Short mmCIF file of all heavy atoms in Angstrom, two decimals:
data_model
loop_
_atom_site.label_atom_id
_atom_site.label_comp_id
_atom_site.label_asym_id
_atom_site.label_seq_id
_atom_site.Cartn_x
_atom_site.Cartn_y
_atom_site.Cartn_z
N GLY A 1 -12.63 -12.76 20.98
CA GLY A 1 -14.08 -12.64 20.88
C GLY A 1 -14.58 -11.73 19.78
O GLY A 1 -15.78 -11.55 19.62
N LYS A 2 -13.67 -11.14 19.01
CA LYS A 2 -14.06 -10.23 17.92
C LYS A 2 -13.81 -10.89 16.57
O LYS A 2 -12.79 -11.56 16.38
CB LYS A 2 -13.29 -8.92 18.01
CG LYS A 2 -13.70 -8.06 19.19
CD LYS A 2 -12.92 -6.76 19.21
CE LYS A 2 -13.50 -5.81 20.25
NZ LYS A 2 -13.66 -6.40 21.57
N ASP A 3 -14.74 -10.66 15.62
CA ASP A 3 -14.56 -11.17 14.26
C ASP A 3 -13.63 -10.22 13.52
O ASP A 3 -13.97 -9.06 13.28
CB ASP A 3 -15.91 -11.26 13.54
CG ASP A 3 -15.77 -11.77 12.12
OD1 ASP A 3 -14.97 -12.69 11.90
OD2 ASP A 3 -16.45 -11.24 11.21
N VAL A 4 -12.47 -10.69 13.17
CA VAL A 4 -11.46 -9.87 12.48
C VAL A 4 -11.22 -10.45 11.09
O VAL A 4 -10.98 -11.66 10.95
CB VAL A 4 -10.14 -9.84 13.29
CG1 VAL A 4 -9.05 -9.10 12.51
CG2 VAL A 4 -10.37 -9.17 14.63
N VAL A 5 -11.31 -9.59 10.08
CA VAL A 5 -11.12 -10.03 8.69
C VAL A 5 -9.74 -9.61 8.22
O VAL A 5 -9.31 -8.47 8.43
CB VAL A 5 -12.20 -9.43 7.76
CG1 VAL A 5 -12.02 -9.93 6.34
CG2 VAL A 5 -13.59 -9.77 8.28
N THR A 6 -9.04 -10.53 7.57
CA THR A 6 -7.73 -10.26 6.99
C THR A 6 -7.74 -10.68 5.52
O THR A 6 -8.21 -11.77 5.19
CB THR A 6 -6.62 -11.05 7.73
OG1 THR A 6 -6.74 -10.83 9.13
CG2 THR A 6 -5.25 -10.64 7.25
N VAL A 7 -7.26 -9.80 4.65
CA VAL A 7 -7.14 -10.14 3.23
C VAL A 7 -5.71 -10.58 2.96
O VAL A 7 -4.77 -9.82 3.15
CB VAL A 7 -7.50 -8.93 2.33
CG1 VAL A 7 -7.29 -9.28 0.87
CG2 VAL A 7 -8.94 -8.49 2.56
N VAL A 8 -5.57 -11.83 2.55
CA VAL A 8 -4.25 -12.41 2.34
C VAL A 8 -4.09 -12.79 0.87
O VAL A 8 -4.92 -13.51 0.32
CB VAL A 8 -4.06 -13.67 3.22
CG1 VAL A 8 -2.64 -14.21 3.09
CG2 VAL A 8 -4.39 -13.38 4.67
N SER A 9 -3.04 -12.30 0.24
CA SER A 9 -2.76 -12.65 -1.15
C SER A 9 -2.32 -14.11 -1.23
O SER A 9 -1.45 -14.55 -0.48
CB SER A 9 -1.67 -11.74 -1.73
OG SER A 9 -1.26 -12.20 -3.00
N THR A 10 -2.89 -14.88 -2.15
CA THR A 10 -2.54 -16.30 -2.28
C THR A 10 -1.11 -16.48 -2.78
O THR A 10 -0.49 -17.50 -2.52
CB THR A 10 -3.51 -17.01 -3.24
OG1 THR A 10 -3.56 -16.28 -4.47
CG2 THR A 10 -4.90 -17.09 -2.67
N VAL A 11 -0.58 -15.48 -3.48
CA VAL A 11 0.79 -15.56 -4.00
C VAL A 11 1.80 -15.65 -2.87
O VAL A 11 2.84 -16.32 -2.98
CB VAL A 11 1.10 -14.32 -4.89
CG1 VAL A 11 2.55 -14.35 -5.36
CG2 VAL A 11 0.16 -14.27 -6.08
N ASP A 12 1.50 -14.97 -1.75
CA ASP A 12 2.44 -14.91 -0.63
C ASP A 12 2.31 -16.08 0.34
O ASP A 12 3.05 -16.16 1.32
CB ASP A 12 2.25 -13.60 0.14
CG ASP A 12 2.44 -12.38 -0.75
OD1 ASP A 12 3.24 -12.46 -1.69
OD2 ASP A 12 1.77 -11.35 -0.50
N LEU A 13 1.37 -16.98 0.07
CA LEU A 13 1.11 -18.06 1.02
C LEU A 13 1.92 -19.32 0.69
O LEU A 13 2.19 -19.60 -0.49
CB LEU A 13 -0.38 -18.43 1.00
CG LEU A 13 -1.35 -17.43 1.64
CD1 LEU A 13 -2.77 -17.88 1.38
CD2 LEU A 13 -1.10 -17.31 3.13
N PRO A 14 2.28 -20.10 1.71
CA PRO A 14 2.88 -21.41 1.43
C PRO A 14 1.85 -22.31 0.75
O PRO A 14 0.64 -22.09 0.86
CB PRO A 14 3.25 -21.93 2.83
CG PRO A 14 2.43 -21.13 3.79
CD PRO A 14 2.20 -19.80 3.14
N GLU A 15 2.30 -23.32 0.07
CA GLU A 15 1.44 -24.19 -0.74
C GLU A 15 0.27 -24.76 0.06
O GLU A 15 -0.86 -24.82 -0.44
CB GLU A 15 2.29 -25.34 -1.31
CG GLU A 15 1.55 -26.18 -2.34
CD GLU A 15 1.18 -25.41 -3.60
OE1 GLU A 15 1.97 -24.55 -4.04
OE2 GLU A 15 0.07 -25.65 -4.13
N LYS A 16 0.50 -25.14 1.30
CA LYS A 16 -0.56 -25.81 2.08
C LYS A 16 -1.74 -24.88 2.38
O LYS A 16 -2.84 -25.34 2.67
CB LYS A 16 0.01 -26.35 3.39
CG LYS A 16 0.45 -25.29 4.40
CD LYS A 16 0.81 -25.92 5.73
CE LYS A 16 1.13 -24.85 6.76
NZ LYS A 16 1.36 -25.43 8.10
N HIS A 17 -1.51 -23.55 2.31
CA HIS A 17 -2.58 -22.61 2.63
C HIS A 17 -3.22 -21.98 1.39
O HIS A 17 -4.15 -21.19 1.52
CB HIS A 17 -2.05 -21.50 3.54
CG HIS A 17 -1.91 -21.92 4.97
ND1 HIS A 17 -0.88 -21.49 5.77
CD2 HIS A 17 -2.68 -22.73 5.74
CE1 HIS A 17 -1.01 -22.04 6.98
NE2 HIS A 17 -2.10 -22.78 6.98
N ARG A 18 -2.75 -22.31 0.21
CA ARG A 18 -3.27 -21.64 -0.99
C ARG A 18 -4.71 -22.04 -1.32
O ARG A 18 -5.39 -21.37 -2.07
CB ARG A 18 -2.35 -21.91 -2.19
CG ARG A 18 -1.06 -21.12 -2.06
CD ARG A 18 -0.18 -21.21 -3.26
NE ARG A 18 1.07 -20.50 -3.04
CZ ARG A 18 2.08 -20.49 -3.88
NH1 ARG A 18 2.00 -21.17 -5.01
NH2 ARG A 18 3.19 -19.81 -3.60
N GLN A 19 -5.16 -23.16 -0.77
CA GLN A 19 -6.55 -23.57 -0.96
C GLN A 19 -7.44 -23.13 0.21
O GLN A 19 -8.64 -23.35 0.19
CB GLN A 19 -6.62 -25.10 -1.12
CG GLN A 19 -5.85 -25.64 -2.31
CD GLN A 19 -6.29 -25.01 -3.61
OE1 GLN A 19 -7.48 -24.86 -3.88
NE2 GLN A 19 -5.32 -24.62 -4.44
N GLY A 20 -6.82 -22.50 1.20
CA GLY A 20 -7.60 -22.04 2.35
C GLY A 20 -6.96 -22.46 3.66
O GLY A 20 -5.89 -23.07 3.69
N PHE A 21 -7.65 -22.10 4.74
CA PHE A 21 -7.16 -22.41 6.09
C PHE A 21 -8.15 -23.33 6.79
O PHE A 21 -9.34 -23.37 6.45
CB PHE A 21 -6.99 -21.12 6.91
CG PHE A 21 -5.81 -20.29 6.49
CD1 PHE A 21 -5.82 -19.59 5.30
CD2 PHE A 21 -4.69 -20.20 7.31
CE1 PHE A 21 -4.73 -18.82 4.92
CE2 PHE A 21 -3.60 -19.43 6.94
CZ PHE A 21 -3.62 -18.73 5.74
N THR A 22 -7.67 -24.05 7.78
CA THR A 22 -8.50 -25.00 8.51
C THR A 22 -9.24 -24.29 9.64
O THR A 22 -8.68 -23.42 10.33
CB THR A 22 -7.63 -26.12 9.11
OG1 THR A 22 -6.83 -26.68 8.09
CG2 THR A 22 -8.49 -27.20 9.75
N TYR A 23 -10.50 -24.67 9.85
CA TYR A 23 -11.28 -24.11 10.96
C TYR A 23 -10.58 -24.40 12.28
O TYR A 23 -10.14 -25.52 12.55
CB TYR A 23 -12.69 -24.72 10.97
CG TYR A 23 -13.51 -24.34 12.18
CD1 TYR A 23 -14.11 -23.09 12.27
CD2 TYR A 23 -13.64 -25.22 13.26
CE1 TYR A 23 -14.84 -22.73 13.39
CE2 TYR A 23 -14.37 -24.87 14.38
CZ TYR A 23 -14.97 -23.61 14.44
OH TYR A 23 -15.68 -23.26 15.55
N GLY A 24 -10.45 -23.36 13.11
CA GLY A 24 -9.83 -23.51 14.42
C GLY A 24 -8.32 -23.36 14.41
O GLY A 24 -7.69 -23.35 15.47
N GLU A 25 -7.72 -23.20 13.23
CA GLU A 25 -6.27 -23.03 13.13
C GLU A 25 -5.84 -21.71 13.78
O GLU A 25 -6.48 -20.68 13.60
CB GLU A 25 -5.87 -23.05 11.65
CG GLU A 25 -4.37 -23.02 11.41
CD GLU A 25 -4.03 -23.14 9.93
OE1 GLU A 25 -4.92 -23.51 9.13
OE2 GLU A 25 -2.88 -22.86 9.58
N THR A 26 -4.76 -21.74 14.53
CA THR A 26 -4.23 -20.55 15.19
C THR A 26 -3.37 -19.74 14.22
O THR A 26 -2.51 -20.30 13.53
CB THR A 26 -3.40 -20.92 16.43
OG1 THR A 26 -4.23 -21.64 17.35
CG2 THR A 26 -2.85 -19.67 17.12
N ILE A 27 -3.64 -18.44 14.14
CA ILE A 27 -2.84 -17.55 13.27
C ILE A 27 -2.39 -16.33 14.07
O ILE A 27 -3.00 -15.97 15.08
CB ILE A 27 -3.64 -17.09 12.03
CG1 ILE A 27 -4.93 -16.39 12.44
CG2 ILE A 27 -3.92 -18.25 11.10
CD1 ILE A 27 -5.68 -15.74 11.28
N LYS A 28 -1.32 -15.73 13.61
CA LYS A 28 -0.81 -14.50 14.24
C LYS A 28 -0.87 -13.38 13.22
O LYS A 28 -0.46 -13.55 12.07
CB LYS A 28 0.62 -14.71 14.74
CG LYS A 28 0.69 -15.72 15.88
CD LYS A 28 2.08 -15.86 16.44
CE LYS A 28 2.07 -16.83 17.63
NZ LYS A 28 3.41 -17.00 18.24
#
């Protein structure tokens, strides 16, 4: 229920996430 902001470097991301993440996607 809390809005949590995370800054993620695009260099460290797999290719599928380098353009962004999908609404509703579960992350840890």
Side-chain angles (χ1 to χ4, degrees):
K2 290 181 170 51
D3 180 40
V4 174
V5 182
T6 309
V7 176
V8 185
S9 171
T10 52
V11 176
D12 302 328
L13 288 173
E15 189 64 37
K16 68 172 185 175
H17 282 143
R18 287 187 183 174
Q19 299 304 315
F21 287 72
T22 308
Y23 173 78
E25 185 176 346
T26 300
I27 57 172
K28 294 184 177 181

